[in-house]
Amino acid sequence: ADAAGGGLLAPQGRPVEAVIETSSGSKLLDAAALKFVLARWHFIPATQDGAAIEAYALVPISFVIEK
């Protein structure tokens, strides 16, 4: 299952808010993806005139469910 999430990134590269833009079809997977992104992901900060700035990012999220 795949989903796409978007969110606001702080100048330090950490997501400060996130939403599911395209659902995986499972509310449980979508909620787990948001929790994981907010807790664990880190991005290279966007810059403007050499300074780190807030930015919005849209990122695909792929799930692999192993049996």
Side-chain angles (χ1 to χ4, degrees):
D2 293 329
L8 180 64
L9 305 176
Q12 299 80 15
R14 302 290 304 171
V16 292
E17 61 183 55
V19 296
I20 294 294
E21 297 281 341
T22 305
S23 176
S24 67
S26 166
K27 289 183 181 184
L28 288 174
L29 287 177
D30 291 350
L34 285 178
K35 183 177 178 180
F36 188 81
V37 166
L38 288 170
R40 304 287 299 273
W41 282 17
H42 189 267
F43 297 84
I44 296 171
T47 59
Q48 184 174 16
D49 298 323
I53 60 168
E54 285 186 338
Y56 184 83
L58 181 63
V59 181
I61 303 166
S62 296
F63 299 96
V64 177
I65 301 173
E66 298 178 1
K67 294 183 179 183

